[in-house]
Amino acid sequence: MSNEHRALFSGSCSSSESDSEAAIYQAVQRTSTGGPLKKLKREASSKLSLSEARQEANMQNLTTNMQTMAHLLKGNVGTGILAMPYALKSAGLLVGTVGLALVGVIAVHCMHLLLRSCHYHCEEGGYLSMDYAHVVEVSFQTGPPALRKFSNFARHVVNVFLCITQLGFCCVYFVFVSQSIEQVIYPSMDVNDHSHDVIFISIILPFVLALCAVRKLSHLAPFSLFANALTLAGLVIIAIDLFQDLPPTSSRKLYADFRQLPLFFGTAIYAFEGIGVILPLENKMKEPEAFTGWTGILNTGMTIVAVMYIATGFYGYLKYGEAALGSITLNIPNEPLYISVKLIFALAIFISYSLQFYVPMQIMWPSLRERISNERWQLPLEYVFRAFLIMFTFTMAAVIPDLGLFIALVGAASSSTLALIFPPILDMISFYKQKKSAEIVKKLVYFNIWSFCVCQWNRCVDKGNYKYVILVNV
């Protein structure tokens, strides 16, 4: 979510746009955090391609295609892959496998819609790069006149959902790490017994506070590389376990109770919610044109991710059946090799907490810092605000300790909005002149918002003394 590479390159708005819309593009000089966008001097009369403009701007630390592919895989393969057997338990072997592929196709299509809107506004407005919230703001400001007054509000809405999603991930990480450590120390304890979860969450709290005291993302880079290596090693060991002593497919149900599908979709959407990393990755590429296309980095990388998800879910559910838990690490045997996997993932996810936490801090803190007139108090109050957000995720994890349900809740409540709701709306708004009249588009946008707010499929899941409402978009 870095703002350092959001700049303007040479070229005016398209001649098909009105003068007022050209003025709007030039007037939008803020990022999602409210900071100014840098401008570059115009050195050529004709427009440059995105890659040529970035080279001319001498943008530093741009990534190669292979590096971008590696970042794309890492950004999409996290705790979600460990919950795939639990997802298929809620849908069945056949329905779950087909459903995962379908959710993957829809998620990637929405990523392409977001990229298309971004590219359109980069060309028309002369931007080198844009983040998610900036695309939303510019789309509304240059869209149908009736929607332009909502541009600032729409930007804030996206930032709110980004914060909810990232803080939701942090809550999931709290629960995951605490349950993994708990199972290593007390292997005979029932994993459905959450009476001791608060104790273990409290034990790791001081370490999370210390890790998140690191303010610069560059200082977290070595920890990220270490977490990547741990995750890869853990997945290899889990694959070894999954392919041993597999029962026949006839021993598992092909489809589950219809009322269980919300849990499946919530978990699947949580796993495929990688849309937040798409624009930052493309913004840092030397050759951004290689990111899209049928055989581009996005399609290739997400195909690999989908195959990994489907394989883990299929063989995980085939092996553990109805005993599949919110994370497959809770199912693997309590033997020295597999105990090491639990510790490996616990450490990797613990490190990843600080990386997920960095995003909401970058969105929320700059606007709060501007309200602090005394610069001497800015740094101490920043640490206080960091501690407040961490305590918030700690409290949510303690209140909802069921890992599987928490993943489904985050996926349905916030991930679905960013991954499935906003991209089609942005596409309709950005290309309303080429598609339909402004009035029809306005009605479609209102209908989508109404559908999101009203047409929800609610399912109450009782677990002991807890009752959760899982929301899945129709």
Side-chain angles (χ1 to χ4, degrees):
M1 310 299 286
S2 173
N3 298 324
E4 59 185 275
H5 294 307
R6 295 184 178 91
L8 296 170
F9 71 94
S10 60
S12 61
C13 294
S14 171
S15 59
S16 63
E17 296 294 326
S18 65
D19 293 338
S20 61
E21 291 183 346
I24 289 173
Y25 276 117
Q26 296 174 4
V28 179
Q29 300 296 326
R30 65 171 68 90
T31 64
S32 61
T33 58
L37 291 173
K38 298 178 181 179
K39 290 185 179 180
L40 297 174
K41 293 181 180 179
R42 182 173 180 175
E43 299 181 358
S45 59
S46 60
K47 283 189 175 182
L48 304 174
S49 69
L50 202 52
S51 58
E52 291 172 339
R54 290 179 182 178
Q55 292 174 5
E56 185 175 278
N58 196 27
M59 292 177 63
Q60 301 297 318
N61 302 319
L62 296 178
T63 58
T64 64
N65 292 350
M66 288 301 298
Q67 289 172 329
T68 303
M69 175 69 78
H71 291 319
L72 179 65
L73 295 177
K74 177 59 180 69
N76 284 274
V77 179
T79 53
I81 192 172
L82 303 177
M84 288 300 98
Y86 177 83
L88 262 72
K89 182 181 75 171
S90 302
L93 204 58
L94 176 61
V95 174
T97 302
V98 176
L100 279 178
L102 180 61
V103 171
V105 170
I106 295 175
V108 174
H109 174 66
C110 288
M111 292 176 185
H112 280 286
L113 291 180
L114 177 61
L115 283 168
R116 188 168 75 152
S117 297
C118 178
H119 293 165
Y120 173 76
H121 293 298
C122 280
E123 292 176 1
E124 297 301 315
Y127 297 102
L128 272 180
S129 60
M130 303 174 75
D131 64 11
Y132 201 149
H134 191 207
V135 173
V136 170
E137 182 179 25
V138 176
S139 296
F140 272 78
Q141 286 200 344
T142 58
L147 299 179
R148 293 178 182 179
K149 59 184 177 182
F150 299 110
S151 60
N152 194 48
F153 173 76
R155 176 171 61 90
H156 287 305
V157 169
V158 170
N159 280 331
V160 166
F161 276 104
L162 283 170
C163 290
I164 292 175
T165 299
Q166 297 302 127
L167 292 176
F169 291 163
C170 291
C171 296
V172 170
Y173 289 2
F174 250 127
V175 177
F176 180 89
V177 174
S178 64
Q179 289 188 355
S180 297
I181 296 175
E182 180 180 359
Q183 201 177 43
V184 170
I185 297 177
Y186 300 108
S188 60
M189 180 178 291
D190 184 6
V191 293
N192 293 317
D193 180 8
H194 302 297
S195 58
H196 297 83
D197 286 354
V198 176
I199 298 175
F200 284 91
I201 293 175
S202 302
I203 291 174
I204 66 175
L205 176 61
F207 300 98
V208 173
L209 288 168
L211 181 65
C212 291
V214 180
R215 299 170 58 243
K216 294 185 178 180
L217 187 61
S218 58
H219 294 165
L220 297 173
F223 297 99
S224 177
L225 292 174
F226 184 56
N228 292 350
L230 291 176
T231 301
L232 180 61
L235 290 175
V236 170
I237 298 175
I238 286 177
I240 295 174
D241 170 67
L242 289 183
F243 290 108
Q244 294 180 3
D245 304 321
L246 285 173
T249 55
S250 58
S251 63
R252 304 301 180 211
K253 60 187 180 185
L254 296 180
Y255 55 90
D257 189 335
F258 186 72
R259 293 171 297 178
Q260 292 290 327
L261 286 180
L263 287 177
F264 165 75
F265 282 112
T267 305
I269 293 171
Y270 172 94
F272 277 105
E273 199 285 300
I275 198 167
V277 304
I278 298 304
L279 292 182
L281 286 178
E282 198 216 26
N283 289 343
K284 297 283 288 184
M285 288 185 66
K286 290 181 181 178
E287 303 176 23
E289 294 83 3
F291 195 69
T292 54
W294 283 103
T295 58
I297 293 174
L298 178 59
N299 284 353
T300 304
M302 292 307 298
T303 299
I304 296 173
V305 170
V307 170
M308 293 175 64
Y309 283 170
I310 293 172
T312 303
F314 182 90
Y315 289 106
Y317 176 62
L318 181 61
K319 179 162 187 175
Y320 295 110
E322 297 305 304
L325 298 171
S327 170
I328 196 173
T329 57
L330 301 177
N331 285 109
I332 57 180
N334 287 310
E335 300 174 1
L337 177 62
Y338 299 115
I339 288 176
S340 68
V341 172
K342 298 176 183 180
L343 294 176
I344 283 174
F345 272 106
L347 181 58
I349 297 303
F350 167 74
I351 294 173
S352 299
Y353 183 103
S354 60
L355 300 174
Q356 301 291 346
F357 183 79
Y358 181 83
V359 175
M361 275 298 300
Q362 286 297 102
I363 293 175
M364 290 187 283
W365 176 245
S367 60
L368 295 175
R369 182 177 55 202
E370 293 176 356
R371 292 173 169 82
I372 304 174
S373 56
N374 192 335
E375 293 185 2
R376 187 179 63 179
W377 285 99
Q378 289 182 355
L379 183 59
L381 290 177
E382 178 180 348
Y383 283 113
V384 171
F385 185 65
R386 285 173 176 269
F388 168 77
L389 289 183
I390 294 170
M391 290 303 300
F392 171 78
T393 61
F394 164 81
T395 303
M396 292 298 296
V399 171
I400 310 178
D402 191 304
L403 183 62
L405 291 177
F406 212 137
I407 288 176
L409 180 62
V410 173
S414 57
S415 298
S416 61
T417 308
L418 294 173
L420 305 179
I421 301 297
F422 274 117
I425 291 178
L426 293 178
D427 187 72
M428 287 189 295
I429 294 175
S430 299
F431 300 97
Y432 78 99
K433 286 188 175 181
Q434 294 93 319
K435 292 183 176 181
K436 303 286 184 180
S437 68
E439 186 64 25
I440 294 178
V441 172
K442 183 176 70 173
K443 292 180 179 179
L444 287 173
V445 171
Y446 289 159
F447 175 75
N448 272 275
I449 297 174
W450 176 84
S451 299
F452 170 68
C453 296
V454 180
C455 295
Q456 298 286 336
W457 182 2
N458 298 339
R459 185 190 189 305
C460 296
V461 183
D462 290 298
K463 283 282 186 179
N465 296 325
Y466 300 97
K467 190 175 186 179
Y468 308 101
V469 177
I470 307 299
L471 302 178
V472 178
N473 294 310
V474 176

